[in-house]
Amino acid sequence: MLQIGSAICEIALWLGGIIFLHREEKRKNFSVRIWISSIIALVLSIVLSIYYGGDFPFPKIVLQIFSTIALIGYMLWNWKVTPSVAIYNFIWTRIVWWLIIETWQFATVILERVVPLSVHGKCISLVVLFMFSYALCDRTICRWIPENGQKRIGPRKLTAAILICVIFELLAYRPELLNVEETNLLNAFPLFLLQWISAIVLYLQNELFRKSSMKQELELVNLLLEKEHEQYRLSKENIAIINQKCHDLKHQIRAVRKVTEEERDQYLREVEESISIYESIVQTGNEVLDTILTEKSLYCRERGITISCVADGKLLQFINPMDLYSLFGNALDNSIEAVEQFEEEEKRQIDVLIHRQQNFLMVNIINPVKDVLVMENEIPITTKRDRNLHGFGLRSMKYIVKKYDGFFNITQEDGCFSLKFLFPIRE
């Protein structure tokens, strides 16, 4: 029974590693890798289970360290994760694995006092408990640990997790828990309870770091919003100056008629060049949207980028001006950055569509893109090197859209990036 139970436990430990990592990005030729490494893991598990049946106390510890290194290597070999993420997942795998085994030990000892259990009955119950527990973990802990779809394991978080795991392991190797069948349950239960508390502390530690990360991200988003608000104020003043200049030009044109024909032609050419900037002025019926589109159109005009706009700005009146500026400012900045990578004039094009579709307001911004986008949590992964300091624009847009009960959608088709906002219209 000892060797059979050991084999089940060793195999379950490797399966636990798969449960905690199966949502991570897989390496190339994953199916081949996982089969080869799993066969090696199965052989190693059988060897370990046979070895644990002997009476060799010190080498068991050495072999246990080897098993730990092998499982972490198994994770790194099959999934695209960093060593810190692999170690953190191993810690969770190890703790959950121990808790399942010890829960089963306590349960069988208690049940045997009422109903005798056969060897096969114990093995079947152990397998069933592992299957149920892993399925429950996959639906709960494995989904709760990642932050925005990814695990962020910094040095402090990893160090704290390792410390908790060491404490947990010291408790697990206490004689009272190693030999539950021969120990008074009243003596073993406090240690078992401390192990559960350690697991809860590990989860709370993860939540604490998640909250801290969210707070830092929110502070950075707020800082970006403040800068955008200031930029909006300055842009509004610049557009007002342009409008005033264009108004003055009308009066200057009247004065041209009184000069000679030669002077008139020269002056008109200068006026034509000056007033051509007015072609970039956009009028949609919404002052904030006009300011944003005009500012971006002026910028694009200097760089050979065309912004085509078909928009009913009056439909956007329900959105706060600052939110509206942030929403379209971020969206157009991303589109401009994408089309600037093209040299072909026909691809340096951005389309902005704002219209009503039944009881919804549809906003669609379309532009060509060079590369295929990699999505993570419904948002493209930023191409910039420092992902911690970039990629907040789309998150900010998603937050604003959600604020107005809207829907946020990103698609890529035929080399074009399409960003859609859908807002319900309340009559």
Side-chain angles (χ1 to χ4, degrees), residues 315-373:
L315 297 173
L316 295 166
Q317 297 293 348
F318 67 94
I319 300 180
N320 180 278
M322 297 298 102
D323 290 339
L324 189 62
Y325 186 86
S326 177
L327 191 65
F328 280 89
N330 277 313
L332 290 172
D333 283 343
N334 289 342
S335 296
I336 291 169
E337 185 177 341
V339 299
E340 279 183 326
Q341 298 179 26
F342 292 98
E343 295 182 0
E344 303 92 332
E345 184 178 347
E346 64 274 9
K347 291 188 176 181
R348 296 170 73 87
Q349 173 81 29
I350 301 170
D351 295 321
V352 180
L353 305 173
I354 303 172
H355 61 95
R356 179 169 181 158
Q357 186 173 322
Q358 296 181 351
N359 293 325
F360 289 90
L361 167 62
M362 173 72 76
V363 178
N364 194 6
I365 300 174
I366 306 168
N367 61 269
V369 287
K370 268 194 171 182
D371 302 319
V372 177
L373 301 176

Side-chain angles (χ1 to χ4, degrees), residues 246-298:
C246 292
H247 178 74
D248 293 341
L249 284 172
K250 294 178 183 177
H251 298 286
Q252 293 172 5
I253 289 171
R254 293 194 188 103
V256 169
R257 297 185 182 132
K258 300 178 181 179
V259 299
T260 64
E261 186 174 347
E262 184 180 347
E263 292 174 333
R264 182 188 305 160
D265 291 340
Q266 182 181 355
Y267 189 70
L268 284 175
R269 282 195 297 270
E270 294 176 359
V271 170
E272 188 178 18
E273 291 175 1
S274 299
I275 206 169
S276 63
I277 195 174
Y278 196 75
E279 294 176 2
S280 300
I281 302 297
V282 180
Q283 295 180 343
T284 65
N286 185 298
E287 183 182 356
V288 178
L289 185 61
D290 293 348
T291 299
I292 302 166
L293 292 175
T294 300
E295 176 196 359
K296 302 304 179 185
S297 296
L298 291 170

Side-chain angles (χ1 to χ4, degrees), residues 9 20 60 62 142 294:
C9 292
F20 275 91
K60 287 182 182 179
V62 176
C142 295
T294 300

Side-chain angles (χ1 to χ4, degrees), residues 28-229:
K28 190 177 181 181
N29 301 322
F30 175 78
S31 57
V32 177
R33 286 171 174 266
I34 195 72
W35 273 108
I36 294 173
S37 56
S38 295
I39 292 172
I40 296 173
L42 179 62
V43 173
L44 181 61
S45 299
I46 294 172
V47 171
L48 286 173
S49 63
I50 295 172
Y51 188 77
Y52 284 149
D55 186 20
F56 307 99
F58 178 74
K60 287 182 182 179
I61 297 175
V62 176
L63 206 57
Q64 191 64 55
I65 295 172
F66 171 75
S67 176
T68 299
I69 296 172
L71 182 51
I72 294 173
Y74 176 83
M75 294 175 174
L76 292 170
W77 171 257
N78 292 295
W79 287 273
K80 287 185 179 180
V81 294
T82 61
S84 59
V85 171
I87 294 170
Y88 190 77
N89 278 279
F90 169 79
I91 290 171
W92 268 108
T93 301
R94 183 78 177 174
I95 287 178
V96 170
W97 177 76
W98 264 120
L99 289 176
I100 294 170
I101 292 173
E102 289 172 0
T103 300
W104 172 79
Q105 287 178 334
F106 272 90
T108 51
V109 168
I110 294 171
L111 284 174
E112 280 193 319
R113 293 182 178 181
V114 181
V115 181
L117 297 174
S118 64
V119 173
H120 293 293
K122 289 182 178 181
C123 291
I124 292 171
S125 65
L126 180 58
V127 171
V128 170
L129 182 60
F130 267 118
M131 292 175 62
F132 173 78
S133 301
Y134 280 158
L136 185 62
C137 283
D138 184 55
R139 294 287 180 178
T140 54
I141 298 173
C142 295
R143 293 188 177 185
W144 296 341
I145 290 176
E147 180 184 339
N148 293 325
Q150 59 182 339
K151 295 186 178 82
R152 298 179 180 177
I153 314 299
R156 290 187 303 157
K157 185 175 182 178
L158 183 62
T159 303
I162 292 173
L163 180 61
I164 293 170
C165 184
V166 169
I167 295 172
F168 185 95
E169 291 284 345
L170 291 174
L171 291 170
Y173 281 101
R174 291 284 299 173
E176 294 89 338
L177 288 175
L178 286 174
N179 303 296
V180 174
E181 296 178 0
E182 303 172 6
T183 305
N184 186 338
L185 291 181
L186 292 177
N187 294 332
F189 186 75
L191 297 174
F192 180 57
L193 187 61
L194 282 174
Q195 286 184 306
W196 272 100
I197 293 173
S198 299
I200 293 170
V201 169
L202 180 62
Y203 176 74
L204 293 177
Q205 175 245 13
N206 180 78
E207 288 297 304
L208 182 64
F209 277 92
R210 185 211 294 265
K211 299 273 186 208
S212 176
S213 177
M214 289 175 63
K215 183 180 178 182
Q216 291 176 1
E217 184 175 314
L218 183 60
E219 289 175 352
L220 186 53
V221 169
N222 288 334
L223 179 62
L224 291 173
L225 286 174
E226 288 178 8
K227 291 183 177 180
E228 287 167 356
H229 296 169

